Amino acid sequence: MSDRVLVIEDDPDIALGVRTVLGRSGFEVTTAAAGREGLRVFHRERPDIVILDVGLPEMDGWMVLERIRELSEVPVLMLTSHGQESDKVRGLRGGADDYLTKPFGTAEFVARVQALLRRPHAAAAAPDVFSDGRVRVDFVTHTVLVAGAPVELTPTEFRLLAALLRHRGQVLSPVKLLELAWSDPFGIGPERVKYSVMRLRRKLGAEPGGDSPIEAVRGFGYRYRGAE
Ligand code: CA
């Protein structure tokens, strides 16, 4: 199976050039011309690597990177416009794996993409399975067991659970959860988050008033119970 690349770049000439050169090298390429659209495609397609332009309209590349990093260790190659040191430092601190300054040569670009895909990134960084004895989540197959019994979650509920687990023990506000778990959080209100969390809590803690590991912290938000 060929590796899938998501290119988030608003400059149509560069997007086309990158798509062409990657396609020729055997990659399956999807492009998005803006940050929000890119995030939507990212959540839908789960690409193997992301090529991310820094200068995007509305939501810039740094914000997109932050959103991607909340839920994924996918390799990200940033494209910067000027060879600014500050961009480089910011990119590597923000979780980018590599960066290239435009204009760049196609041979070097493809070599960098291939090098990132060879890195044993995800397996080491994020465990495939979470278990606290009662709740077991398999992040690869997206299956959830509660006390050994399978539980059906919607994709949003699964992302919500993944976000809470990733920040285990921390209280996350509805606004933060909206950012982390909804692929297109714009136009959705915190009420929707509360409703989804309520359903998720019910699914994880079968008995009413019972033993859901997700705690509501009045006035602040929600947290997945930390390790005791
Ligand atoms: Ca740009």
Side-chain angles (χ1 to χ4, degrees), residues 62-158:
W62 304 120
M63 267 179 87
V64 175
L65 176 64
E66 210 181 297
R67 297 272 175 92
I68 288 175
R69 277 289 168 263
E70 297 283 7
L71 285 173
S72 169
E73 299 295 331
V74 66
V76 176
L77 171 63
M78 302 292 291
L79 303 181
T80 64
S81 285
H82 328 280
Q84 293 167 333
E85 277 307 289
S86 57
D87 267 2
K88 175 180 158 188
V89 169
R90 192 174 170 189
L92 298 176
R93 206 185 274 155
D97 297 279
D98 200 0
Y99 76 102
L100 261 181
T101 305
K102 298 176 199 171
F104 45 81
T106 53
E108 180 177 14
F109 172 69
V110 172
R112 298 276 193 107
V113 170
Q114 284 166 339
L116 285 178
L117 284 166
R118 276 195 303 269
R119 264 195 214 171
H121 48 277
D128 289 345
V129 172
F130 165 85
S131 176
D132 61 7
R134 194 176 132 74
V135 176
R136 187 178 189 283
V137 181
D138 187 322
F139 292 99
V140 177
T141 58
H142 284 205
T143 48
V144 179
L145 300 178
V146 177
V151 172
E152 287 283 332
L153 298 185
T154 65
T156 298
E157 287 165 354
F158 189 87

Side-chain angles (χ1 to χ4, degrees), residues 8-11 14 53-57 79 81 102:
I8 309 177
E9 165 66 82
D10 62 318
D11 181 320
I14 296 176
D53 180 32
V54 169
L56 293 169
L79 303 181
S81 285
K102 298 176 199 171

Side-chain angles (χ1 to χ4, degrees), residues 11-34:
D11 181 320
D13 293 334
I14 296 176
L16 179 66
V18 164
R19 175 193 265 279
T20 306
V21 71
L22 287 173
R24 259 187 226 141
S25 306
F27 294 98
E28 203 178 294
V29 188
T30 312
T31 55

